[in-house]
Amino acid sequence: MGEIVLHNYFRSSTSYRVRIALEMKRLNYTYVAHHLRHGGQREPGYLSVNPQGLVPALVWEDGTMIAQSLAIVEFLDEVAPEPPLLPADPLGRARVRMLAQMVACDIHPVNNLRILNMLRTRFGADDAAVAEWFRHWVGETFAPMEKMLAESPQTGRFCHGDTPGLADICLVAQVANNGRFGVDMTPYPTISRIAANCMELPAFIKAAPRNQPDAE
Amino acid sequence: MGEIVLHNYFRSSTSYRVRIALEMKRLNYTYVAHHLRHGGQREPGYLSVNPQGLVPALVWEDGTMIAQSLAIVEFLDEVAPEPPLLPADPLGRARVRMLAQMVACDIHPVNNLRILNMLRTRFGADDAAVAEWFRHWVGETFAPMEKMLAESPQTGRFCHGDTPGLADICLVAQVANNGRFGVDMTPYPTISRIAANCMELPAFIKAAPRNQPDAE
């Protein structure tokens, strides 16, 4: 299918997920940045690539496009199976997908830039109200996730055993985002430990927002 | 693993997704209802089953629990492969997962009951403002999804070819939800056609909110 282009933004946590997976799979890709705060993802040229006008999107030379970070990561895991990002057994795969989706469906969507902007424009939310909203929804999911991870014998050095995978990818990207809104991580020692273990790995470091060409 | 219990709520669109998959796979399950508007999902007995206090959750006699609707549906597809809910080829699977996640990550999370309640309590949103919020986020995703479905040769009687799958499951549950907030479906003829095709199938009809024991 030829060269891969990743349309993304250094600070976007969904872009970060895909970058980690690409690095873990040792796949080469061309980095194309869209500055979300300047509306770069809504330019006509990009809308003709991804009509949804969101990042990340993976695009090939023949025009094939995949959007949605978890769909991209699962695709990469299917076409480049090593190292695997999901366990082999269906219940283990379900547990990892569940943990990933707790972040990807219950935290990130309600806290991303377009929602926070709408709270400002539609309801007059100020910086403090926006930060409170962000922290509230992190806590609603991180509290039960901490409990689930701390109490499960399946949790190891990472979310599921001793190898990093899809759930760790989502967790690390969320923890990075939390730092921008002053989330107190003290109540989440297991989540913090797993995120720290991930951040010792070259793939996670290379994919981090601060190490991207458009980092500010 | 024994008898399956589905913790759910008739009107929850994520519960609806799982019910459709269970019906398509012809799997028997015990229906346990939690009345979301009365906080039934936050009762201690249920929190000990699913610490996140959300529905749906699939639970077995031995205490094994899977939450998050897409994780549940993919699990069911792995352990009961017929009929398949994802195509066989990785690019096709990615397209179906992308379409499913456009609903599951970009519409549903920002429009579910707990978010709408927070808009009321935190920002004083009234019924009209809540409905406007709901319709706005549906449009932000349904407009590009309509274009992607209408323009792709891979779209058939359903989202991907002529057999229903994961994307159709998410689409139908969202369309059902839209009806409660007065979403004008006129701009979305392809989405409407696919949803109507689904609603001719027994599995989709049996799983519909109005046909559940806790329906009001």
Side-chain angles (χ1 to χ4, degrees), chain A residues 51-52 67-68 70-71 74-75 78 93 97-98 101-102 105-106 109-110 115 118 122 129 132 136-137 144, chain B residues 51-52 67-68 70-71 74 78 90 93 97-98 101-102 105-106 109-110 115 118 122 129 132-133 136-137 144:
Chain A
Q52 212 181 356
Q68 296 293 329
L70 297 190
E74 292 236 13
F75 171 81
E78 291 180 358
R93 296 163 72 83
R97 287 189 176 119
M98 171 184 73
Q101 290 166 22
M102 286 173 72
C105 296
D106 291 334
V110 299
I115 304 294
M118 182 68 98
R122 182 66 187 79
E132 186 196 335
H136 174 79
W137 297 116
Chain B
Q52 214 182 353
Q68 296 292 331
L70 297 190
E74 293 235 14
E78 292 180 358
R93 296 163 72 83
R97 286 188 177 122
M98 172 184 72
Q101 290 167 22
M102 286 174 71
C105 296
D106 292 335
V110 298
I115 304 295
M118 183 69 97
R122 182 66 187 78
E132 186 197 336
W133 170 281
H136 174 79
W137 297 115

Side-chain angles (χ1 to χ4, degrees), chain A residues 12-210:
Chain A
S12 147
S13 76
T14 51
S15 297
Y16 188 7
R17 294 176 197 157
V18 174
R19 293 194 303 260
I20 297 169
L22 286 163
E23 295 294 344
M24 288 180 74
K25 302 292 188 181
R26 299 177 180 276
L27 295 169
N28 291 319
Y29 65 97
T30 300
Y31 188 105
V32 174
H34 297 267
H35 199 306
L36 298 199
R37 289 192 183 268
H38 301 165
Q41 78 283 16
R42 309 305 290 248
E43 287 167 1
Y46 183 59
L47 286 176
S48 70
V49 172
N50 178 7
Q52 212 181 356
L54 297 175
V55 293
L58 211 59
V59 180
W60 284 265
E61 288 172 335
D62 69 357
T64 301
M65 187 279 296
I66 310 174
Q68 296 293 329
S69 63
L70 297 190
I72 297 171
V73 174
E74 292 236 13
F75 171 81
L76 295 175
D77 202 39
E78 291 180 358
V79 298
E82 293 299 329
L85 302 179
L86 288 169
D89 62 305
L91 267 178
R93 296 163 72 83
R95 179 171 179 267
V96 170
R97 287 189 176 119
M98 171 184 73
L99 293 168
Q101 290 166 22
M102 286 173 72
V103 171
C105 296
D106 291 334
I107 302 179
H108 176 265
V110 299
N111 278 350
N112 75 2
L113 189 60
R114 62 182 187 162
I115 304 294
L116 303 183
N117 284 343
M118 182 68 98
L119 294 179
R120 292 177 195 273
T121 57
R122 182 66 187 79
F123 297 111
D126 58 15
D127 287 349
V130 163
E132 186 196 335
W133 170 281
F134 186 102
R135 291 191 295 259
H136 174 79
W137 297 116
V138 170
E140 283 290 299
T141 295
F142 264 25
M145 180 181 269
E146 172 66 27
K147 182 177 162 67
M148 291 159 78
L149 287 169
E151 293 181 355
S152 171
Q154 298 182 290
T155 304
R157 184 165 168 79
F158 299 101
C159 286
H160 197 79
D162 294 324
T163 53
L166 180 66
D168 304 287
I169 287 173
C170 291
L171 183 148
V172 158
Q174 184 60 49
V175 169
N177 243 6
N178 289 357
R180 297 166 46 222
F181 289 88
V183 173
D184 175 14
M185 291 294 290
T186 315
Y188 317 123
T190 312
I191 291 174
S192 298
R193 173 179 67 76
I194 291 169
N197 289 340
C198 289
M199 291 315 297
E200 293 178 1
L201 304 175
F204 286 75
I205 295 168
K206 280 186 74 174
R210 68 178 177 280

Side-chain angles (χ1 to χ4, degrees), chain B:
Chain B
M1 293 167 63
E3 192 192 347
I4 306 176
V5 172
L6 176 65
H7 292 269
N8 82 145
Y9 177 54
F10 78 105
R11 196 179 267 155
S12 148
S13 75
T14 51
S15 298
Y16 188 7
R17 294 175 196 157
V18 174
R19 292 194 304 260
I20 296 169
L22 287 163
E23 294 295 344
M24 288 179 74
K25 303 292 187 181
R26 298 177 181 277
L27 295 168
N28 292 319
Y29 65 97
T30 301
Y31 188 106
V32 174
H34 297 266
H35 199 306
L36 298 198
R37 289 191 183 271
H38 300 164
Q41 78 284 13
R42 309 305 290 250
E43 288 167 2
Y46 183 59
L47 286 176
S48 70
V49 171
N50 177 8
Q52 214 182 353
L54 298 175
V55 292
L58 212 58
V59 180
W60 284 265
E61 287 171 338
D62 68 358
T64 302
M65 186 280 295
I66 310 174
Q68 296 292 331
S69 62
L70 297 190
I72 297 171
V73 173
E74 293 235 14
F75 171 81
L76 296 174
D77 202 38
E78 292 180 358
V79 297
E82 293 299 328
L85 301 179
L86 288 168
D89 62 304
L91 268 177
R93 296 163 72 83
R95 178 172 179 266
V96 170
R97 286 188 177 122
M98 172 184 72
L99 293 168
Q101 290 167 22
M102 286 174 71
V103 171
C105 296
D106 292 335
I107 302 179
H108 177 265
V110 298
N111 278 349
N112 76 1
L113 188 61
R114 61 183 187 161
I115 304 295
L116 303 183
N117 284 343
M118 183 69 97
L119 294 178
R120 291 178 196 273
T121 57
R122 182 66 187 78
F123 297 112
D126 58 13
D127 286 350
V130 163
E132 186 197 336
W133 170 281
F134 186 102
R135 291 191 296 260
H136 174 79
W137 297 115
V138 171
E140 284 289 300
T141 295
F142 264 26
M145 180 181 270
E146 171 65 27
K147 181 177 163 67
M148 291 160 78
L149 287 169
E151 293 181 356
S152 171
Q154 298 181 291
T155 304
R157 184 165 169 78
F158 299 101
C159 287
H160 197 79
D162 294 325
T163 51
L166 180 66
D168 305 288
I169 286 173
C170 291
L171 184 148
V172 158
Q174 185 60 47
V175 169
N177 243 6
N178 289 357
R180 297 166 46 222
F181 289 87
V183 173
D184 175 14
M185 290 294 291
T186 315
Y188 317 122
T190 312
I191 291 174
S192 298
R193 172 179 68 75
I194 291 169
N197 289 341
C198 289
M199 292 313 298
E200 291 178 1
L201 304 175
F204 285 76
I205 296 168
K206 280 187 75 174
R210 67 179 178 281
N211 295 326
Q212 306 316 306
D214 56 333
E216 287 160 9

